Amino acid sequence: MNAPTWLSRLRSHLRLRWRFGVRNLPFLFGRPHLHVVVQQPDRWHLAFFDWLSAHHPTLYRHIRFSIGTGAGALRWPGGKGLLPWAPTPMTEPGPHRLDELLALEQHYLDHELPVFNPTSRLNHSRQATAIATAQELGIGCSHTLPCGQSSDFDALSARLGCPLIVRDLAQLGRPPLLVGNRRQWAALPWSGMVKPMACRQADASQTPEHNDFLGVLTGKHYYETRPFVAQPGAGRSGDIRPLRQLQNTLGLSLVAFEFSRDNRGNPVIWRVSPLPSLLEQSPEWLDPTTLEALYDALLHGLLGELQWLYDGSSIAFSAGRQRPATNPLDQKVQ
């Protein structure tokens, strides 16, 4: 083992021991905090929290991390909410640990404290399940078929129409590719794709790159951008009520939609991504401004549901949390 590799592994080990061990000591004495339960810490990155530590250190002091379940993952005094930081769908090796996590979530709910993207709802966000749910609600969805370099372009074109679009659903922010013939199909960068899908081109007058949107719903907050178009800031381009309806039906408080709009302005969804899994996928494809805006949207969603008032330097914690008479996710976006 060469020296750089050895030092890198040592730094990683020490960082894990600090984040999940020594750093948690103040929380034993009642420091108010958001409890983040991390699955597979050696494989599941925490880039959002690294950003939080660098840009909002006051808030970061009130984030507690634990690994999986067991004694270290119990709710401690001062726990104000629970965020399972887990892949989607859940891939626990056995039912025992999953049952413990579900029991922990129920413990927070019994104390009328928020649980963000409960584990019991994550499997509802499997791609096929989420798309089927959207279709049942009457929301437009892109027709997609798995594909690869050896796929029959003519057969796919017959089913989806020509030209068709190829997207890599495993990599957030990678531009869609418009393909109109077999020569273009053969020239696609297949070796760099993880989960390529052939999609029917939405009924839109613009090219795919200019008609693709990323919309993020975190609680009552909504952020939208065109990830493939350089533009100052971001603004709402159309009705988001269908996205809100799908969010409510899936039972997810932190979720993103990758979609296009048809000629009438209605969304045509081609992917649903619960946070945090969305933020773990190929951030190098995203413009740094867009990635920071996504982190900011997640931050505001967490603060809103926790009912923490943060002015950039200090935090005011709510004295108690009462269960609202109506689902806050049903309220209008501010």
Side-chain angles (χ1 to χ4, degrees):
M1 182 184 299
N2 58 47
T5 302
W6 182 84
L7 289 174
S8 176
R9 292 186 177 180
L10 177 61
R11 283 194 295 265
S12 178
H13 175 74
L14 293 176
R15 190 177 187 183
L16 283 175
R17 291 291 299 270
W18 168 261
R19 177 172 265 162
F20 293 94
V22 178
R23 184 184 172 275
N24 283 337
L25 292 177
F27 299 113
L28 287 170
F29 304 99
R31 175 186 289 179
H33 62 272
L34 171 64
H35 183 184
V36 180
V37 178
V38 181
Q39 303 293 319
Q40 303 169 321
D42 55 333
R43 295 168 49 194
W44 202 238
H45 302 295
L46 300 170
F48 166 69
F49 299 103
D50 293 336
W51 172 85
L52 197 66
S53 174
H55 293 83
H56 302 280
T58 301
L59 274 174
Y60 185 70
R61 292 181 63 248
H62 296 276
I63 304 293
R64 172 194 158 211
F65 299 95
S66 66
I67 299 176
T69 54
L74 297 176
R75 176 178 174 250
W76 290 356
K80 300 295 185 181
L82 179 68
L83 173 57
W85 199 259
T88 307
M90 287 293 292
T91 56
E92 284 296 313
H96 178 65
R97 292 184 65 189
L98 181 57
D99 288 344
E100 287 186 344
L101 183 54
L102 291 172
L104 177 62
E105 292 179 352
Q106 189 59 50
H107 185 70
Y108 274 84
L109 293 174
D110 288 344
H111 286 77
E112 300 189 350
L113 296 169
V115 175
F116 298 92
N117 283 10
T119 304
S120 59
R121 305 300 301 179
L122 279 179
N123 282 348
H124 291 257
S125 62
R126 290 175 183 265
Q127 183 67 13
T129 304
I131 293 298
T133 302
Q135 291 172 333
E136 290 174 0
L137 295 172
I139 302 171
C141 298
S142 176
H143 293 74
T144 63
L145 292 171
C147 66
Q149 189 171 10
S150 60
S151 299
D152 187 331
F153 173 77
D154 293 331
L156 288 172
S157 297
R159 297 183 64 180
L160 299 172
C162 189
L164 54 80
I165 298 170
V166 175
R167 307 180 188 272
D168 188 350
L169 294 192
Q171 294 181 306
L172 170 69
R174 186 163 184 168
L177 303 169
L178 188 64
V179 184
N181 55 54
R182 278 180 280 184
R183 179 180 57 81
Q184 293 175 345
W185 179 269
L188 291 177
W190 293 109
S191 61
M193 296 188 191
V194 178
K195 189 179 179 182
M197 300 289 288
C199 313
R200 188 173 73 183
Q201 186 179 13
D203 181 20
S205 59
Q206 296 174 302
T207 61
E209 293 86 351
H210 289 76
N211 192 43
D212 274 27
F213 299 90
L214 176 63
V216 178
L217 281 165
T218 57
K220 294 171 285 190
H221 300 271
Y222 179 71
Y223 170 79
E224 182 177 294
T225 186
R226 294 182 179 182
F228 315 123
V229 178
Q231 59 176 8
R236 192 176 307 167
S237 63
D239 187 4
I240 69 162
R241 285 177 295 180
L243 304 182
R244 177 69 72 191
Q245 183 184 18
L246 180 54
Q247 178 198 30
N248 292 340
T249 303
L250 294 174
L252 299 172
S253 51
L254 311 171
V255 65
F257 305 91
E258 295 171 77
F259 64 99
S260 303
R261 290 195 183 275
D262 61 22
N263 284 333
R264 294 173 294 179
N266 298 318
V268 179
I269 297 173
W270 52 276
R271 178 169 154 184
V272 179
S273 302
L275 300 170
S277 59
L278 174 140
L279 298 177
E280 298 302 320
Q281 299 165 20
S282 303
E284 66 271 12
W285 284 99
L286 290 177
D287 177 88
T289 302
T290 298
L291 186 60
E292 180 146 342
L294 293 180
Y295 288 160
D296 194 63
L298 174 56
L299 171 59
H300 282 85
L302 294 173
L303 291 173
E305 292 299 297
L306 290 167
Q307 298 181 8
W308 292 1
L309 299 178
Y310 173 61
D311 63 6
S313 60
S314 62
I315 312 172
F317 303 99
S318 58
R321 179 182 174 88
Q322 295 182 348
R323 193 182 303 276
T326 59
N327 188 339
L329 298 181
D330 295 329
Q331 299 174 6
K332 291 184 178 180
V333 178
Q334 301 299 316

